[in-house]
Amino acid sequence: MTLFLDERAVGELVTMDDALAAVEAGFTARARGVVDNLPRAILHHSGGTVRITAAVIEDQSYYGVKVSSSAVFGSGAGRLLSLYAIATGRLCAVIQVFGLGALRTGAVSGVTTRLLARPDADVLGLVGTGRQARTQLEAIRRVRPIHTVRLFGRDPARRARFAEEVRGEGLVVHECATVEEAVAGATVVVTATAATEPVLAGDWLNPGTHVNAIGSNDPSRRELDSAVVSRAELIVTDEPAQARYEAADLIHPVAEGLIGWEDVRGLDELLTGAVAGRRSADGITVFESLGTAIGDVALAARAYETALDRGIGQRLPDLSGEVS
């Protein structure tokens, strides 16, 4: 059966716990050599860009191709993933993945935070108040005992609304006037912005801080200054090959000779222990999140199978024109 799953259906089918499990399974499968991932390809047109990612996950029996357009940024309309069965090549589902992508991004940070942040990390410095910031908080709370959020957002009204929502979940929230203030005292820091110039300075970080940088997935966007990266005892990303042409947070310090690309390790290596995680209580660790199809396909497969079980989703015609 071929299904169309819109944003509302996806929201009913998968949770953050599903996303954490799917992401970890997908990247662990990659470490075992049963995943083939295509780093993001970018096509340009007069209205912006088209971005294409794809992954094959053999042990889950699916492959998928995700296409997104910057012309409709902030909407699920131009972000679709086509999920196929490996054995037959059959189109299983077409899925709107704006919300699913936010879940996946949060979950990838959650998995990495579990592996790199200090076990006693309980204060989150959160820079950004958008949808991605929300799922970052949701995921990190599941892997570390966060009780306090130090929050910065450029729009005071939006920051106040975000803070009120989070307080309603039992957390202590400090609304901060600057990023430096938000970082003060934090043991985990998240930058979830669309900044084109660094918003986080290495001099502001406390010893032992773990940083999740999720906004710099384009060479024109940068969240971390070079001192953040040069201070790090370990730098991890979800796709090292993609980092070389997308991650301005890393491209600049490499060009400055502060680090080499050999210092940037993959999340799959971290999950299997091929690369050791946190090495000292006072060390700085950095996760540079770019977004790959591995997590998207793993989570889409879970959504599709759950949809079949629950009878959710719109049935689509198969290639013969008959209803599948």
Side-chain angles (χ1 to χ4, degrees), residues 264-313:
V264 180
R265 309 309 296 259
L267 175 55
D268 54 328
E269 298 178 282
L270 194 63
L271 277 165
T272 59
V275 170
R278 172 164 290 278
R279 297 158 191 172
S280 67
D282 290 339
I284 303 293
T285 54
V286 171
F287 174 58
E288 182 74 11
S289 179
L290 299 172
T292 74
I294 298 172
D296 288 323
V297 173
L299 194 49
R302 186 167 296 222
Y304 169 66
E305 291 177 353
T306 305
L308 291 179
D309 290 341
R310 296 185 188 175
I312 294 175

mmCIF file of all heavy atoms in Angstrom, residues 264-313:
data_model
loop_
_atom_site.group_PDB
_atom_site.id
_atom_site.type_symbol
_atom_site.label_atom_id
_atom_site.label_comp_id
_atom_site.label_asym_id
_atom_site.label_seq_id
_atom_site.Cartn_x
_atom_site.Cartn_y
_atom_site.Cartn_z
ATOM 1 N N VAL A 264 37.611 16.057 12.658
ATOM 2 C CA VAL A 264 36.141 16.043 12.664
ATOM 3 C C VAL A 264 35.677 14.603 12.483
ATOM 4 O O VAL A 264 35.915 13.988 11.450
ATOM 5 C CB VAL A 264 35.582 16.947 11.543
ATOM 6 C CG1 VAL A 264 34.057 16.926 11.562
ATOM 7 C CG2 VAL A 264 36.107 18.374 11.689
ATOM 8 N N ARG A 265 35.012 14.061 13.479
ATOM 9 C CA ARG A 265 34.641 12.649 13.469
ATOM 10 C C ARG A 265 33.136 12.482 13.279
ATOM 11 O O ARG A 265 32.347 13.390 13.530
ATOM 12 C CB ARG A 265 35.088 11.980 14.775
ATOM 13 C CG ARG A 265 36.543 12.223 15.127
ATOM 14 C CD ARG A 265 37.509 11.906 13.971
ATOM 15 N NE ARG A 265 37.492 10.509 13.625
ATOM 16 C CZ ARG A 265 38.411 9.635 14.000
ATOM 17 N NH1 ARG A 265 39.426 10.032 14.760
ATOM 18 N NH2 ARG A 265 38.330 8.371 13.625
ATOM 19 N N GLY A 266 32.753 11.269 12.860
ATOM 20 C CA GLY A 266 31.360 10.975 12.567
ATOM 21 C C GLY A 266 30.595 10.448 13.769
ATOM 22 O O GLY A 266 31.160 9.766 14.629
ATOM 23 N N LEU A 267 29.303 10.744 13.809
ATOM 24 C CA LEU A 267 28.449 10.247 14.886
ATOM 25 C C LEU A 267 28.433 8.723 14.924
ATOM 26 O O LEU A 267 28.370 8.125 16.005
ATOM 27 C CB LEU A 267 27.019 10.782 14.700
ATOM 28 C CG LEU A 267 25.950 10.272 15.665
ATOM 29 C CD1 LEU A 267 26.342 10.490 17.109
ATOM 30 C CD2 LEU A 267 24.602 10.928 15.359
ATOM 31 N N ASP A 268 28.494 8.073 13.782
ATOM 32 C CA ASP A 268 28.509 6.609 13.761
ATOM 33 C C ASP A 268 29.743 6.065 14.479
ATOM 34 O O ASP A 268 29.664 5.057 15.197
ATOM 35 C CB ASP A 268 28.435 6.080 12.327
ATOM 36 C CG ASP A 268 29.515 6.649 11.422
ATOM 37 O OD1 ASP A 268 29.917 7.803 11.630
ATOM 38 O OD2 ASP A 268 29.942 5.939 10.492
ATOM 39 N N GLU A 269 30.886 6.733 14.345
ATOM 40 C CA GLU A 269 32.105 6.314 15.046
ATOM 41 C C GLU A 269 31.940 6.448 16.559
ATOM 42 O O GLU A 269 32.432 5.622 17.335
ATOM 43 C CB GLU A 269 33.293 7.164 14.603
ATOM 44 C CG GLU A 269 33.647 7.075 13.138
ATOM 45 C CD GLU A 269 34.794 7.994 12.803
ATOM 46 O OE1 GLU A 269 34.578 9.206 12.660
ATOM 47 O OE2 GLU A 269 35.937 7.490 12.702
ATOM 48 N N LEU A 270 31.253 7.490 16.969
ATOM 49 C CA LEU A 270 31.035 7.729 18.394
ATOM 50 C C LEU A 270 30.121 6.653 18.987
ATOM 51 O O LEU A 270 30.365 6.147 20.086
ATOM 52 C CB LEU A 270 30.419 9.109 18.571
ATOM 53 C CG LEU A 270 30.403 9.725 19.968
ATOM 54 C CD1 LEU A 270 31.813 9.948 20.476
ATOM 55 C CD2 LEU A 270 29.623 11.038 19.937
ATOM 56 N N LEU A 271 29.071 6.285 18.244
ATOM 57 C CA LEU A 271 28.105 5.308 18.742
ATOM 58 C C LEU A 271 28.721 3.930 18.958
ATOM 59 O O LEU A 271 28.338 3.209 19.881
ATOM 60 C CB LEU A 271 26.923 5.200 17.773
ATOM 61 C CG LEU A 271 25.833 6.247 17.939
ATOM 62 C CD1 LEU A 271 24.928 6.268 16.721
ATOM 63 C CD2 LEU A 271 25.026 5.997 19.203
ATOM 64 N N THR A 272 29.661 3.564 18.112
ATOM 65 C CA THR A 272 30.249 2.222 18.218
ATOM 66 C C THR A 272 31.495 2.184 19.098
ATOM 67 O O THR A 272 32.047 1.111 19.338
ATOM 68 C CB THR A 272 30.626 1.698 16.829
ATOM 69 O OG1 THR A 272 31.563 2.606 16.228
ATOM 70 C CG2 THR A 272 29.398 1.573 15.942
ATOM 71 N N GLY A 273 31.944 3.349 19.554
ATOM 72 C CA GLY A 273 33.144 3.383 20.371
ATOM 73 C C GLY A 273 34.429 3.437 19.578
ATOM 74 O O GLY A 273 35.518 3.404 20.161
ATOM 75 N N ALA A 274 34.333 3.517 18.250
ATOM 76 C CA ALA A 274 35.539 3.667 17.435
ATOM 77 C C ALA A 274 36.249 4.969 17.774
ATOM 78 O O ALA A 274 37.472 5.091 17.638
ATOM 79 C CB ALA A 274 35.187 3.630 15.947
ATOM 80 N N VAL A 275 35.481 5.959 18.192
ATOM 81 C CA VAL A 275 36.016 7.216 18.700
ATOM 82 C C VAL A 275 35.526 7.376 20.129
ATOM 83 O O VAL A 275 34.318 7.238 20.390
ATOM 84 C CB VAL A 275 35.550 8.415 17.844
ATOM 85 C CG1 VAL A 275 35.906 9.737 18.510
ATOM 86 C CG2 VAL A 275 36.169 8.342 16.458
ATOM 87 N N ALA A 276 36.428 7.641 21.046
ATOM 88 C CA ALA A 276 36.046 7.830 22.445
ATOM 89 C C ALA A 276 35.254 9.115 22.595
ATOM 90 O O ALA A 276 35.490 10.100 21.879
ATOM 91 C CB ALA A 276 37.289 7.875 23.324
ATOM 92 N N GLY A 277 34.296 9.117 23.508
ATOM 93 C CA GLY A 277 33.485 10.297 23.759
ATOM 94 C C GLY A 277 34.211 11.283 24.653
ATOM 95 O O GLY A 277 35.407 11.534 24.484
ATOM 96 N N ARG A 278 33.487 11.825 25.615
ATOM 97 C CA ARG A 278 34.089 12.809 26.525
ATOM 98 C C ARG A 278 35.327 12.220 27.197
ATOM 99 O O ARG A 278 35.289 11.139 27.763
ATOM 100 C CB ARG A 278 33.055 13.242 27.559
ATOM 101 C CG ARG A 278 33.611 14.126 28.668
ATOM 102 C CD ARG A 278 32.532 14.825 29.432
ATOM 103 N NE ARG A 278 31.897 15.844 28.598
ATOM 104 C CZ ARG A 278 32.378 17.058 28.410
ATOM 105 N NH1 ARG A 278 33.510 17.423 28.999
ATOM 106 N NH2 ARG A 278 31.755 17.927 27.637
ATOM 107 N N ARG A 279 36.396 12.982 27.143
ATOM 108 C CA ARG A 279 37.674 12.496 27.660
ATOM 109 C C ARG A 279 38.043 13.084 29.010
ATOM 110 O O ARG A 279 38.922 12.559 29.701
ATOM 111 C CB ARG A 279 38.773 12.806 26.639
ATOM 112 C CG ARG A 279 38.531 12.070 25.327
ATOM 113 C CD ARG A 279 39.214 12.700 24.144
ATOM 114 N NE ARG A 279 38.746 12.101 22.897
ATOM 115 C CZ ARG A 279 39.061 12.558 21.692
ATOM 116 N NH1 ARG A 279 39.831 13.603 21.565
ATOM 117 N NH2 ARG A 279 38.575 11.960 20.616
ATOM 118 N N SER A 280 37.411 14.187 29.388
ATOM 119 C CA SER A 280 37.704 14.807 30.680
ATOM 120 C C SER A 280 36.498 15.611 31.139
ATOM 121 O O SER A 280 35.682 16.046 30.316
ATOM 122 C CB SER A 280 38.931 15.734 30.577
ATOM 123 O OG SER A 280 38.636 16.848 29.753
ATOM 124 N N ALA A 281 36.396 15.811 32.435
ATOM 125 C CA ALA A 281 35.262 16.556 32.984
ATOM 126 C C ALA A 281 35.273 18.007 32.529
ATOM 127 O O ALA A 281 34.212 18.632 32.390
ATOM 128 C CB ALA A 281 35.285 16.487 34.510
ATOM 129 N N ASP A 282 36.449 18.557 32.253
ATOM 130 C CA ASP A 282 36.561 19.969 31.907
ATOM 131 C C ASP A 282 36.651 20.223 30.399
ATOM 132 O O ASP A 282 36.771 21.372 29.969
ATOM 133 C CB ASP A 282 37.794 20.580 32.586
ATOM 134 C CG ASP A 282 37.618 20.700 34.086
ATOM 135 O OD1 ASP A 282 36.457 20.706 34.550
ATOM 136 O OD2 ASP A 282 38.641 20.769 34.793
ATOM 137 N N GLY A 283 36.619 19.173 29.602
ATOM 138 C CA GLY A 283 36.775 19.346 28.167
ATOM 139 C C GLY A 283 35.554 19.975 27.509
ATOM 140 O O GLY A 283 34.419 19.806 27.959
ATOM 141 N N ILE A 284 35.788 20.696 26.415
ATOM 142 C CA ILE A 284 34.715 21.235 25.564
ATOM 143 C C ILE A 284 34.476 20.246 24.440
ATOM 144 O O ILE A 284 35.429 19.763 23.811
ATOM 145 C CB ILE A 284 35.112 22.597 24.960
ATOM 146 C CG1 ILE A 284 35.470 23.601 26.054
ATOM 147 C CG2 ILE A 284 34.004 23.129 24.061
ATOM 148 C CD1 ILE A 284 34.339 24.016 26.924
ATOM 149 N N THR A 285 33.220 19.914 24.185
ATOM 150 C CA THR A 285 32.879 19.059 23.048
ATOM 151 C C THR A 285 31.885 19.796 22.158
ATOM 152 O O THR A 285 31.062 20.579 22.637
ATOM 153 C CB THR A 285 32.277 17.717 23.503
ATOM 154 O OG1 THR A 285 31.160 17.960 24.376
ATOM 155 C CG2 THR A 285 33.309 16.884 24.237
ATOM 156 N N VAL A 286 31.975 19.531 20.853
ATOM 157 C CA VAL A 286 31.135 20.227 19.878
ATOM 158 C C VAL A 286 30.500 19.219 18.940
ATOM 159 O O VAL A 286 31.190 18.341 18.395
ATOM 160 C CB VAL A 286 31.961 21.245 19.044
ATOM 161 C CG1 VAL A 286 31.131 21.808 17.893
ATOM 162 C CG2 VAL A 286 32.462 22.379 19.941
ATOM 163 N N PHE A 287 29.186 19.347 18.739
ATOM 164 C CA PHE A 287 28.491 18.592 17.706
ATOM 165 C C PHE A 287 27.991 19.564 16.659
ATOM 166 O O PHE A 287 27.225 20.473 16.948
ATOM 167 C CB PHE A 287 27.317 17.807 18.271
ATOM 168 C CG PHE A 287 26.484 17.130 17.206
ATOM 169 C CD1 PHE A 287 27.065 16.231 16.327
ATOM 170 C CD2 PHE A 287 25.134 17.403 17.073
ATOM 171 C CE1 PHE A 287 26.317 15.616 15.323
ATOM 172 C CE2 PHE A 287 24.375 16.798 16.088
ATOM 173 C CZ PHE A 287 24.972 15.900 15.210
ATOM 174 N N GLU A 288 28.434 19.383 15.423
ATOM 175 C CA GLU A 288 28.012 20.199 14.291
ATOM 176 C C GLU A 288 26.954 19.417 13.516
ATOM 177 O O GLU A 288 27.247 18.440 12.817
ATOM 178 C CB GLU A 288 29.214 20.509 13.392
ATOM 179 C CG GLU A 288 28.894 21.400 12.218
ATOM 180 C CD GLU A 288 28.680 22.855 12.611
ATOM 181 O OE1 GLU A 288 28.972 23.231 13.765
ATOM 182 O OE2 GLU A 288 28.240 23.628 11.736
ATOM 183 N N SER A 289 25.698 19.826 13.667
ATOM 184 C CA SER A 289 24.578 19.128 13.046
ATOM 185 C C SER A 289 24.296 19.702 11.667
ATOM 186 O O SER A 289 24.077 20.909 11.523
ATOM 187 C CB SER A 289 23.339 19.261 13.935
ATOM 188 O OG SER A 289 22.224 18.624 13.360
ATOM 189 N N LEU A 290 24.292 18.837 10.661
ATOM 190 C CA LEU A 290 24.051 19.278 9.291
ATOM 191 C C LEU A 290 22.719 18.780 8.747
ATOM 192 O O LEU A 290 22.059 19.450 7.967
ATOM 193 C CB LEU A 290 25.191 18.808 8.389
ATOM 194 C CG LEU A 290 26.568 19.362 8.763
ATOM 195 C CD1 LEU A 290 27.650 18.687 7.942
ATOM 196 C CD2 LEU A 290 26.603 20.869 8.585
ATOM 197 N N GLY A 291 22.319 17.571 9.136
ATOM 198 C CA GLY A 291 21.091 16.981 8.615
ATOM 199 C C GLY A 291 21.401 16.014 7.489
ATOM 200 O O GLY A 291 21.956 16.404 6.459
ATOM 201 N N THR A 292 21.105 14.741 7.709
ATOM 202 C CA THR A 292 21.314 13.728 6.687
ATOM 203 C C THR A 292 20.039 12.926 6.515
ATOM 204 O O THR A 292 19.132 12.972 7.344
ATOM 205 C CB THR A 292 22.442 12.748 7.071
ATOM 206 O OG1 THR A 292 21.960 11.875 8.095
ATOM 207 C CG2 THR A 292 23.675 13.477 7.566
ATOM 208 N N ALA A 293 19.990 12.160 5.446
ATOM 209 C CA ALA A 293 18.814 11.329 5.183
ATOM 210 C C ALA A 293 18.777 10.079 6.049
ATOM 211 O O ALA A 293 17.757 9.395 6.083
ATOM 212 C CB ALA A 293 18.773 10.941 3.703
ATOM 213 N N ILE A 294 19.848 9.773 6.744
ATOM 214 C CA ILE A 294 19.856 8.556 7.567
ATOM 215 C C ILE A 294 18.736 8.611 8.602
ATOM 216 O O ILE A 294 17.911 7.701 8.712
ATOM 217 C CB ILE A 294 21.219 8.361 8.254
ATOM 218 C CG1 ILE A 294 22.331 8.195 7.210
ATOM 219 C CG2 ILE A 294 21.182 7.151 9.181
ATOM 220 C CD1 ILE A 294 23.730 8.196 7.798
ATOM 221 N N GLY A 295 18.721 9.695 9.375
ATOM 222 C CA GLY A 295 17.671 9.846 10.366
ATOM 223 C C GLY A 295 16.302 10.008 9.748
ATOM 224 O O GLY A 295 15.303 9.480 10.257
ATOM 225 N N ASP A 296 16.227 10.739 8.636
ATOM 226 C CA ASP A 296 14.940 10.934 7.964
ATOM 227 C C ASP A 296 14.344 9.607 7.513
ATOM 228 O O ASP A 296 13.147 9.344 7.728
ATOM 229 C CB ASP A 296 15.113 11.850 6.742
ATOM 230 C CG ASP A 296 15.365 13.293 7.124
ATOM 231 O OD1 ASP A 296 14.783 13.761 8.113
ATOM 232 O OD2 ASP A 296 16.143 13.955 6.420
ATOM 233 N N VAL A 297 15.140 8.781 6.873
ATOM 234 C CA VAL A 297 14.626 7.509 6.349
ATOM 235 C C VAL A 297 14.269 6.569 7.496
ATOM 236 O O VAL A 297 13.221 5.904 7.462
ATOM 237 C CB VAL A 297 15.651 6.857 5.393
ATOM 238 C CG1 VAL A 297 15.197 5.462 4.978
ATOM 239 C CG2 VAL A 297 15.843 7.740 4.154
ATOM 240 N N ALA A 298 15.115 6.512 8.520
ATOM 241 C CA ALA A 298 14.819 5.640 9.650
ATOM 242 C C ALA A 298 13.517 6.036 10.327
ATOM 243 O O ALA A 298 12.688 5.180 10.681
ATOM 244 C CB ALA A 298 15.968 5.686 10.654
ATOM 245 N N LEU A 299 13.294 7.340 10.497
ATOM 246 C CA LEU A 299 12.070 7.805 11.154
ATOM 247 C C LEU A 299 10.869 7.704 10.221
ATOM 248 O O LEU A 299 9.755 7.371 10.657
ATOM 249 C CB LEU A 299 12.265 9.247 11.627
ATOM 250 C CG LEU A 299 11.243 9.816 12.609
ATOM 251 C CD1 LEU A 299 10.993 8.888 13.785
ATOM 252 C CD2 LEU A 299 11.685 11.195 13.093
ATOM 253 N N ALA A 300 11.068 7.937 8.935
ATOM 254 C CA ALA A 300 9.977 7.787 7.969
ATOM 255 C C ALA A 300 9.502 6.340 7.907
ATOM 256 O O ALA A 300 8.292 6.072 7.792
ATOM 257 C CB ALA A 300 10.434 8.256 6.593
ATOM 258 N N ALA A 301 10.447 5.400 7.971
ATOM 259 C CA ALA A 301 10.070 3.985 7.959
ATOM 260 C C ALA A 301 9.211 3.649 9.175
ATOM 261 O O ALA A 301 8.210 2.921 9.071
ATOM 262 C CB ALA A 301 11.322 3.118 7.940
ATOM 263 N N ARG A 302 9.574 4.198 10.312
ATOM 264 C CA ARG A 302 8.787 3.958 11.528
ATOM 265 C C ARG A 302 7.383 4.569 11.386
ATOM 266 O O ARG A 302 6.386 3.960 11.777
ATOM 267 C CB ARG A 302 9.523 4.557 12.731
ATOM 268 C CG ARG A 302 8.866 4.247 14.072
ATOM 269 C CD ARG A 302 9.789 4.590 15.229
ATOM 270 N NE ARG A 302 10.979 3.766 15.228
ATOM 271 C CZ ARG A 302 11.511 3.231 16.322
ATOM 272 N NH1 ARG A 302 10.937 3.411 17.499
ATOM 273 N NH2 ARG A 302 12.601 2.501 16.256
ATOM 274 N N ALA A 303 7.310 5.775 10.833
ATOM 275 C CA ALA A 303 6.009 6.417 10.639
ATOM 276 C C ALA A 303 5.137 5.610 9.685
ATOM 277 O O ALA A 303 3.939 5.413 9.925
ATOM 278 C CB ALA A 303 6.205 7.836 10.104
ATOM 279 N N TYR A 304 5.731 5.136 8.601
ATOM 280 C CA TYR A 304 4.975 4.358 7.612
ATOM 281 C C TYR A 304 4.435 3.066 8.214
ATOM 282 O O TYR A 304 3.244 2.733 8.048
ATOM 283 C CB TYR A 304 5.880 4.058 6.420
ATOM 284 C CG TYR A 304 5.315 3.054 5.446
ATOM 285 C CD1 TYR A 304 4.178 3.349 4.690
ATOM 286 C CD2 TYR A 304 5.918 1.809 5.270
ATOM 287 C CE1 TYR A 304 3.654 2.427 3.798
ATOM 288 C CE2 TYR A 304 5.403 0.886 4.383
ATOM 289 C CZ TYR A 304 4.264 1.198 3.655
ATOM 290 O OH TYR A 304 3.749 0.282 2.773
ATOM 291 N N GLU A 305 5.280 2.334 8.917
ATOM 292 C CA GLU A 305 4.830 1.058 9.485
ATOM 293 C C GLU A 305 3.760 1.267 10.552
ATOM 294 O O GLU A 305 2.800 0.494 10.652
ATOM 295 C CB GLU A 305 6.032 0.301 10.041
ATOM 296 C CG GLU A 305 6.967 -0.186 8.935
ATOM 297 C CD GLU A 305 8.216 -0.878 9.455
ATOM 298 O OE1 GLU A 305 8.434 -0.865 10.696
ATOM 299 O OE2 GLU A 305 8.973 -1.430 8.627
ATOM 300 N N THR A 306 3.893 2.334 11.329
ATOM 301 C CA THR A 306 2.872 2.647 12.327
ATOM 302 C C THR A 306 1.567 3.056 11.647
ATOM 303 O O THR A 306 0.474 2.704 12.103
ATOM 304 C CB THR A 306 3.358 3.766 13.264
ATOM 305 O OG1 THR A 306 4.599 3.385 13.851
ATOM 306 C CG2 THR A 306 2.350 4.033 14.372
ATOM 307 N N ALA A 307 1.672 3.796 10.552
ATOM 308 C CA ALA A 307 0.480 4.211 9.806
ATOM 309 C C ALA A 307 -0.275 3.002 9.271
ATOM 310 O O ALA A 307 -1.518 2.959 9.300
ATOM 311 C CB ALA A 307 0.874 5.139 8.668
ATOM 312 N N LEU A 308 0.454 2.009 8.783
ATOM 313 C CA LEU A 308 -0.195 0.783 8.310
ATOM 314 C C LEU A 308 -0.945 0.093 9.448
ATOM 315 O O LEU A 308 -2.086 -0.353 9.289
ATOM 316 C CB LEU A 308 0.842 -0.166 7.713
ATOM 317 C CG LEU A 308 1.498 0.239 6.393
ATOM 318 C CD1 LEU A 308 2.513 -0.817 5.981
ATOM 319 C CD2 LEU A 308 0.458 0.430 5.296
ATOM 320 N N ASP A 309 -0.314 0.019 10.608
ATOM 321 C CA ASP A 309 -0.935 -0.645 11.752
ATOM 322 C C ASP A 309 -2.189 0.084 12.219
ATOM 323 O O ASP A 309 -3.184 -0.542 12.608
ATOM 324 C CB ASP A 309 0.058 -0.733 12.918
ATOM 325 C CG ASP A 309 1.183 -1.714 12.656
ATOM 326 O OD1 ASP A 309 1.024 -2.582 11.774
ATOM 327 O OD2 ASP A 309 2.230 -1.612 13.334
ATOM 328 N N ARG A 310 -2.155 1.414 12.167
ATOM 329 C CA ARG A 310 -3.266 2.209 12.710
ATOM 330 C C ARG A 310 -4.302 2.609 11.661
ATOM 331 O O ARG A 310 -5.325 3.194 11.995
ATOM 332 C CB ARG A 310 -2.722 3.476 13.374
ATOM 333 C CG ARG A 310 -1.836 3.215 14.573
ATOM 334 C CD ARG A 310 -1.460 4.535 15.213
ATOM 335 N NE ARG A 310 -0.468 4.376 16.262
ATOM 336 C CZ ARG A 310 0.088 5.394 16.910
ATOM 337 N NH1 ARG A 310 -0.264 6.649 16.603
ATOM 338 N NH2 ARG A 310 0.986 5.173 17.854
ATOM 339 N N GLY A 311 -4.009 2.333 10.397
ATOM 340 C CA GLY A 311 -4.936 2.738 9.344
ATOM 341 C C GLY A 311 -4.973 4.235 9.126
ATOM 342 O O GLY A 311 -6.012 4.806 8.779
ATOM 343 N N ILE A 312 -3.821 4.901 9.313
ATOM 344 C CA ILE A 312 -3.721 6.349 9.137
ATOM 345 C C ILE A 312 -3.058 6.646 7.798
ATOM 346 O O ILE A 312 -2.165 5.929 7.355
ATOM 347 C CB ILE A 312 -2.899 6.966 10.288
ATOM 348 C CG1 ILE A 312 -3.650 6.811 11.605
ATOM 349 C CG2 ILE A 312 -2.580 8.435 10.023
ATOM 350 C CD1 ILE A 312 -2.856 7.278 12.816
ATOM 351 N N GLY A 313 -3.467 7.724 7.152
ATOM 352 C CA GLY A 313 -2.838 8.158 5.907
ATOM 353 C C GLY A 313 -3.761 8.020 4.717
ATOM 354 O O GLY A 313 -4.728 7.258 4.731
#
